[in-house]
Amino acid sequence: IDLKFNSYYFAGEANRKIYLGNVTMPLLLTEIDTTLKSKNEITITIDRMELPFKYVQINVQSDYFFVSDGTVPAIFRGKTGTWKATYQPSQRTQFSNQVFIDSSTVAYRTRKENYEGILGLTNFGLKGSSKVNPGLLQKQVDGIFDTDGVLMNDPVTNKILYMYYYRNQYIVADCNLNLVSRGKTIDTVSKAKIKVAFNSDRNETKMSAPPLIVNKNGNAYNGLLFINAALIGKFEDAKMWNQASMIDVYDINTKSYIQSFYVYNIDGKKLGRYMVHGENFYGLVGTHLVVYKLNKLITSRYAVKQKR
């Protein structure tokens, strides 16, 4: 289905509907059925419009949806169907990469006083408690850029995962942010190949050369990790690599590689964001939303077997 714009991202799935947010229209939510045949637009309302928003993100779960902006920082929660969200005042630390674990818990990436990355967790219910786990992200070069990556939540197993951009590693934690395991991808780059420089005039650290990206993006579902590989493999077809994006699939429990599959370009555009639910792989390719049905070799490895 052609969405006409390339500014969409996946906000979640609920009740056989796919929800898309739009970075250019922060409070607009697009609802599409899983067969891509019907489309509906929803305008969300929040009760604190005066806040200095910069990067609003919408997340949809089964009964709840969330509007958040880590630069404020601010979190809003509402019921799906009413689409009205109220401010949750417990979050005091700026954050990014936020994923919502349940109706009152959010995991995120934040920073230490020296700006190094660290993963945190907040329950914005009645207690409003927060915690960080300083041992999850591992510094290799600077602790700022070398720990960049994607934070994910597996909605079936309730595990929290983190995939590094610049090295062949990922982290698995439980819903309380305790380490479960560390895994490696089939790529061979185990140390981040980045160069950083400190600007004393501005008192800031920045990259001094383009980094080597190992993993572009990731998504976790039902015990599996789906990674958009950034580097061509030794035995990969270079022509095919230019025509499609490669998704490598891993079993989190056994720390094993399952297989890879291609998601083809549309109008010369490569796969951007993506999401897995049930037997389907949903991807945003340029202005298009596409759906692929996953084969049985992949779905048979789900941690929780799918009901038919």
Side-chain angles (χ1 to χ4, degrees), residues 253-265:
N253 296 319
T254 61
K255 301 182 189 178
S256 60
Y257 164 78
I258 300 175
Q259 73 163 157
S260 301
F261 63 88
Y262 289 111
V263 177
Y264 291 91
N265 301 352

Side-chain angles (χ1 to χ4, degrees), residues 7-9 22-24 26 52-58 67-74 95-98 273:
S7 50
Y8 289 97
Y9 63 89
N22 192 317
V23 295
T24 60
F53 299 108
K54 292 182 180 179
Y55 187 71
V56 172
Q57 178 178 307
I58 302 172
V67 180
S68 56
D69 188 331
T71 65
V72 176
F95 58 87
S96 62
N97 273 221
Q98 60 268 34
R273 306 186 194 203

Side-chain angles (χ1 to χ4, degrees), residues 16 21 30 38 43-45 61 63 73 78 111 119 132 159 164 171 194-195 200 226 232-233 261 284 293:
R16 298 179 181 271
T30 300
S38 67
T43 300
I44 288 173
T45 60
Q61 291 186 352
D63 297 321
R111 296 200 179 273
L119 298 184
V132 295
K159 294 289 194 301
Y164 291 105
I171 304 164
I194 64 172
K195 293 182 179 180
S200 57
F226 298 77
I232 187 170
F261 63 88
L284 291 169
K293 186 173 182 179

Side-chain angles (χ1 to χ4, degrees), residues 149-169:
V150 177
L151 185 64
M152 299 162 271
N153 174 50
D154 184 332
V156 179
T157 65
N158 220 23
K159 294 289 194 301
I160 299 170
L161 289 89
Y162 191 86
M163 177 206 76
Y164 291 105
Y165 283 138
Y166 310 124
R167 59 181 109 158
N168 64 347
Q169 299 168 15

Side-chain angles (χ1 to χ4, degrees), residues 65 77 130 165 177 245 294:
F65 75 96
R77 182 180 65 182
S130 296
Y165 283 138
L177 215 60
S245 297
L294 298 171

Side-chain angles (χ1 to χ4, degrees), residues 59-243:
N59 297 83
V60 179
Q61 291 186 352
S62 57
D63 297 321
Y64 290 90
F65 75 96
F66 308 89
V67 180
S68 56
D69 188 331
T71 65
V72 176
I75 295 174
F76 299 79
R77 182 180 65 182
K79 282 289 191 88
T80 53
T82 62
W83 305 111
K84 296 179 180 179
T86 56
Y87 179 64
Q88 309 295 310
S90 61
Q91 185 64 29
R92 298 179 178 85
T93 305
Q94 288 192 333
F95 58 87
S96 62
N97 273 221
Q98 60 268 34
V99 293
F100 290 85
I101 311 304
D102 55 37
S103 62
S104 60
T105 308
V106 59
Y108 49 81
R109 187 181 181 204
T110 186
R111 296 200 179 273
K112 304 176 186 178
E113 291 184 0
N114 62 0
Y115 299 106
E116 292 183 7
I118 189 171
L119 298 184
L121 189 77
T122 293
N123 185 306
F124 49 86
L126 296 176
K127 296 181 180 180
S129 60
S130 296
K131 63 176 289 189
V132 295
N133 187 336
L136 286 179
L137 299 185
Q138 295 181 316
K139 176 180 176 179
Q140 288 187 332
V141 181
D142 66 333
I144 301 174
F145 298 109
D146 67 344
T147 56
D148 276 350
V150 177
L151 185 64
M152 299 162 271
N153 174 50
D154 184 332
V156 179
T157 65
N158 220 23
K159 294 289 194 301
I160 299 170
L161 289 89
Y162 191 86
M163 177 206 76
Y164 291 105
Y165 283 138
Y166 310 124
R167 59 181 109 158
N168 64 347
Q169 299 168 15
Y170 62 88
I171 304 164
V172 182
D174 64 20
C175 58
N176 292 312
L177 215 60
N178 300 310
L179 178 66
V180 173
S181 64
R182 298 182 187 273
K184 292 185 177 181
T185 69
I186 55 176
D187 196 275
T188 58
V189 181
S190 60
K191 185 174 180 179
K193 295 182 179 180
I194 64 172
K195 293 182 179 180
V196 297
F198 180 72
N199 187 323
S200 57
D201 294 334
R202 296 186 177 182
N203 192 32
E204 67 180 14
T205 301
K206 63 180 182 179
M207 286 194 182
S208 58
L212 178 70
I213 300 174
V214 177
N215 305 310
K216 289 183 182 178
N217 210 338
N219 188 254
Y221 183 79
N222 206 345
L224 304 184
L225 177 58
F226 298 77
I227 292 181
N228 184 189
L231 301 178
I232 187 170
K234 184 177 180 180
F235 302 105
E236 289 297 322
D237 186 328
K239 183 178 179 181
M240 179 61 75
W241 187 264
N242 292 326
Q243 296 175 351

